[in-house]
Amino acid sequence: MTKGTAFTLLTCLVFGFFTVQAQTVDEVLAGYEKALGGKEKLQTLKSVYMEGVSIAGNGNEITSKMTKVDGQLMRSEINFGMGSFQVVLTDKGGWVSNPRNGGKFEPMPEDRHKAALGELDLIGPLYNYAAKGHKAQLEGKESINGKEAYKIKLTLANGNEITYFIDATSYLLVREIRKGGGMFGGGQRRGANADQQPQELITDYSDYQSTPEGFLFPFTVKRNGMGGETIYEKIEVNKPVDPKLYKAE
C-alpha cells in the first residue's frame, strides 16, 4: 500500500467516524423525542402544574408545587413544615422569598435571572437542541442503576454543559448531571470556598407515567443532597394559569 493510499484510507476512516458519531447522536435523540410522544405531540405542550412530596433526612415531609408556562413562567413553592421557599421566574424578571426575609419577595440578581432562563424551556434543552443553539455529543454508554444508557454531553448556547443519560431500551431520560447546586444549577462559590470546583447536581428520573392527555412524565425524581426522592402525586397539563402567578406576591 502506498503512502498516498494509506493517507486517503485514514482520512476516510476519520471523517467516517465523525459522521457516524453525529448520526448516532441524532438517532438517539430522535428515539428520545419519539418516546415522549413525537414532535407534533410535544409542540402542543404549553403548561404544566405539578405537586410532589418528599421526606427529609430528619423525617419531615416536604411538599412542592410548580407551575410552568413554556417560555413565560416558572413558579415554585417548597414547603418544609417550618416555612416555605418560593421562586417566581418570568422572561421579564425573577423573585425569591424565604423564611429568613419573612416571606417577602426580593428581586433576583440580573446574572442569576439570566442564568435561570433555561427553566422556562418546558420540555428541556435536549429537545430540538440544534434550533436552540446548543451542541450535542455522544460519549458512549454507561450503566445507570443497572441499565445501559447513552451518555450525551449537551453544550448550551451560553457555554454551560449538561450531561444526559438516555435509557438504551426505552429512550427515556434516566439521569442528568449539572455542574453546581441549587434549582438553577448555579452554585458559584464565594469566600473561603471560592476556589473549589462547583458541585455536581445529579438528578435521576423514573416511574414514567402518561397523563390523560398522553404526555409522559417521570413521577419519581431523586436529586443528590436534596432530601431524597420527590414523588409527584399530581401532574396536570395545559390547564388555565392564573395571571396572578406571574406576580411576586
Side-chain angles (χ1 to χ4, degrees):
M1 182 183 293
T2 65
K3 291 183 178 180
T5 303
F7 178 77
T8 302
L9 178 59
L10 178 61
T11 303
C12 290
L13 289 174
V14 170
F15 279 98
F17 171 78
F18 284 110
T19 301
V20 170
Q21 284 292 91
Q23 290 174 342
T24 303
V25 169
D26 289 340
E27 287 172 358
V28 172
L29 294 181
Y32 167 70
E33 180 182 289
K34 183 178 180 180
L36 293 179
K39 178 174 288 189
E40 291 185 4
K41 182 71 175 179
L42 292 174
Q43 287 177 341
T44 67
L45 185 61
K46 302 302 180 184
S47 67
V48 175
Y49 172 72
M50 312 173 76
E51 290 184 4
V53 61
S54 62
I55 304 299
N58 59 8
N60 288 346
E61 184 177 271
I62 301 173
T63 60
S64 61
K65 298 179 181 179
M66 179 179 291
T67 299
K68 281 192 172 187
V69 178
D70 191 35
Q72 300 178 30
L73 171 70
M74 195 277 318
R75 185 179 186 119
S76 70
E77 179 179 356
I78 300 175
N79 191 311
F80 47 90
M82 300 174 61
S84 64
F85 177 85
Q86 297 187 66
V87 175
V88 178
L89 176 71
T90 74
D91 53 337
K92 303 294 191 300
W95 300 265
V96 180
S97 77
N98 61 67
R100 293 181 180 179
N101 61 11
K104 178 183 177 181
F105 278 100
E106 297 179 346
M108 188 181 294
E110 185 176 350
D111 59 339
R112 182 78 182 268
H113 172 255
K114 185 177 180 180
L117 285 175
E119 295 294 320
L120 300 181
D121 187 342
L122 192 55
I123 305 174
L126 195 59
Y127 167 72
N128 205 20
Y129 73 94
K132 300 171 183 176
H134 310 324
K135 296 180 181 179
Q137 179 181 349
L138 181 64
E139 296 190 332
K141 293 181 181 179
E142 288 189 16
S143 177
I144 303 296
N145 298 324
K147 295 185 178 181
E148 196 173 54
Y150 294 103
K151 181 181 180 181
I152 295 176
K153 182 177 76 174
L154 189 72
T155 303
L156 305 181
N158 63 10
N160 292 339
E161 294 180 355
I162 307 173
T163 302
Y164 292 97
F165 295 87
I166 306 293
D167 186 282
T169 301
S170 68
Y171 284 89
L172 294 173
L173 178 64
V174 293
R175 174 172 291 179
E176 130 184 351
I177 302 177
R178 298 187 184 222
K179 291 287 186 181
M183 182 175 297
F184 305 122
Q188 291 185 340
R189 297 181 182 272
R190 295 177 172 82
N193 298 322
D195 294 333
Q196 296 182 17
Q197 290 295 319
Q199 72 181 81
E200 287 185 339
L201 178 62
I202 303 174
T203 306
D204 285 351
Y205 302 94
S206 59
D207 188 24
Y208 279 83
Q209 300 178 39
S210 288
T211 67
E213 299 82 7
F215 292 100
L216 203 60
F217 288 93
F219 274 67
T220 299
V221 177
K222 183 177 181 180
R223 296 179 176 90
N224 63 315
M226 297 188 70
E229 295 182 338
T230 296
I231 308 297
Y232 287 101
E233 300 178 330
K234 177 188 289 188
I235 297 181
E236 298 178 339
V237 301
N238 295 343
K239 301 294 183 181
V241 175
D242 191 335
K244 292 182 179 179
L245 295 182
Y246 287 80
K247 301 178 181 179
E249 57 183 32

